[in-house]
Amino acid sequence: MEVDLNIFYTSLLTVGIIIAVGFFAGKRKFIDERTNKMLVNLLLNIAWPAALLGAFPGEFKPELLQTFLYGAGGGVVVLGAAIIVSRLLFPKKKFTKNYFEYQFAFIFNNASFLGFPLVSSIYGQAGLVPYAGFILVFSLALFGYGVMLFREKFSWLEAAKTFLNPNVIAVLVGLTFFIFSYKLPLPVGNAVGYIGAMMTPMSLIVIGYMLSQAKLGAIFRKKVLVLTCLAQLTLGPLITFIVLKLIGAPSDVVHILVLIQALPTATSLGLFAAKYRGDNARESSASELVTISTIMSAVTLPIVMWAMFSLL
């Protein structure tokens, strides 16, 4: 899967423009916090599952199934390595208060709101197949280990419920349809396509809104947050590149997973802090980590991808 670096930069600029629209909408109060939460729920529970279901082609191809399996297997290896490194970088003894936020920020990237638009625009449907494999593992890890980081009491029964997550179900259903070359009836397939198409512009507008609400001058003075984000944006993709090359993953899978791990921290960090930490969310640095990481990625992401394209 050959990709021109100019296509990457063009896609990145397009993404930046749509984020700027969301930023403008937030500043002009076209979007408020209540509307933003509704959009996030719509994206995570309807638009993203529809996009993942439509990620698979209607006709079975063995080579695409192989890239799916590499995406899933790569996800296991990459996220497993990220979990280990996060515990070494941000041990509980040293970062007593917010160690779980720093670990979460290092492990989980914005594979949904930023990952899908970039992968689909740069690599097309062929790239969405290994992306779906990675997202299957990512979703299980996010709602399993990610929740465990925030909850003081954790039940593995709750972890098992992650298999009922809409995104996990969408990937498994899409994979089944793909293996058996089953095509949805045309009206249903068109509806799934239209709904999934909302994912790209709407997710980027949500990111733009989030940036419009940040107090940038104050949060960039917090050195520990800046260093955490810098480690996430540089060590994360470096580790991904090394472990995928060691297991002999195809270059296109390496491209896509390095791209995902070079993305800023997942926006779900702020959602998890509010949902599972309750009153403590006010004292949390979750939203600040997401904001800093998103802004810094505008500089680090092109550099990381340029380096990767030069090496492959």
Side-chain angles (χ1 to χ4, degrees):
M1 185 189 301
E2 295 294 330
V3 178
D4 189 339
L5 195 56
N6 289 328
I7 296 176
F8 167 76
Y9 289 132
T10 301
S11 300
L12 195 61
L13 182 58
T14 302
V15 164
I17 291 172
I18 301 176
I19 291 175
V21 171
F23 184 90
F24 174 78
K27 287 296 186 182
R28 293 300 300 270
K29 308 300 182 184
F30 297 153
I31 302 175
D32 58 17
E33 187 59 28
R34 181 184 176 188
T35 303
N36 184 63
K37 288 181 179 179
M38 292 173 63
L39 290 176
V40 169
N41 285 327
L42 181 64
L43 285 166
L44 293 178
N45 296 299
I46 297 180
W48 197 20
L52 291 172
L53 180 60
F56 296 90
E59 182 180 353
F60 176 75
K61 295 181 180 179
E63 62 271 19
L64 287 181
L65 177 60
Q66 185 181 35
T67 63
F68 174 87
L69 295 175
Y70 265 113
V76 172
V77 175
V78 166
L79 291 173
I83 289 172
I84 294 172
V85 174
S86 72
R87 295 171 72 92
L88 295 174
L89 290 178
F90 309 106
K92 184 177 180 179
K93 291 182 180 180
K94 185 175 181 180
F95 299 89
T96 307
K97 185 178 179 182
N98 293 325
Y99 76 94
F100 51 89
E101 292 180 348
Y102 300 148
Q103 289 184 16
F104 186 102
F106 185 86
I107 299 166
F108 298 106
N109 302 82
N110 204 337
S112 56
F113 291 178
L114 267 177
F116 182 86
L118 283 173
V119 172
S120 61
S121 61
I122 297 170
Y123 299 98
Q125 188 173 48
L128 289 176
V129 174
Y131 170 81
F134 176 83
I135 289 302
L136 176 62
V137 177
F138 179 88
S139 297
L140 293 172
L142 178 65
F143 293 99
Y145 187 79
V147 172
M148 185 177 70
L149 283 174
F150 279 85
R151 298 202 66 166
E152 296 176 359
K153 294 182 179 180
F154 182 78
S155 167
W156 286 107
L157 179 61
E158 293 181 354
K161 292 179 181 178
T162 58
F163 286 96
L164 300 178
N165 180 277
N167 303 306
V168 173
I169 294 174
V171 171
L172 294 177
V173 171
L175 177 63
T176 302
F177 288 172
F178 168 63
I179 291 175
F180 291 98
S181 296
Y182 174 77
K183 294 183 180 180
L184 291 169
L186 187 58
V188 178
N190 288 341
V192 170
Y194 292 145
I195 294 172
M198 295 191 300
M199 184 65 192
T200 294
M202 195 180 297
S203 63
L204 298 176
I205 287 173
V206 165
I207 292 174
Y209 168 80
M210 176 198 70
L211 294 177
S212 73
Q213 305 303 300
K215 298 178 180 179
L216 303 182
I219 62 176
F220 270 96
R221 287 196 290 268
K222 300 182 179 180
K223 293 183 179 179
V224 65
L225 301 186
V226 174
L227 292 175
T228 299
C229 294
L230 184 61
Q232 176 251 323
L233 292 168
T234 55
L235 285 180
L238 177 61
I239 292 170
T240 301
F241 182 84
I242 292 173
V243 297
L244 290 180
K245 293 298 289 183
L246 288 176
I247 66 173
S251 61
D252 52 345
V253 175
V254 177
H255 277 191
I256 292 167
L257 267 60
V258 169
L259 169 62
I260 292 173
Q261 292 304 103
L263 295 175
T265 295
T267 52
S268 52
L269 173 57
L271 301 176
F272 278 27
K275 182 175 182 179
Y276 297 114
R277 286 283 160 167
D279 294 337
N280 292 334
R282 291 183 178 181
E283 302 174 3
S284 121
S285 52
S287 60
E288 295 175 331
L289 281 166
V290 174
T291 302
I292 294 172
S293 181
T294 301
I295 294 173
M296 289 179 63
S297 68
V299 176
T300 60
L301 180 57
I303 295 174
V304 167
M305 296 307 291
W306 171 82
M308 183 189 66
F309 276 102
S310 299
L311 291 172
L312 289 177

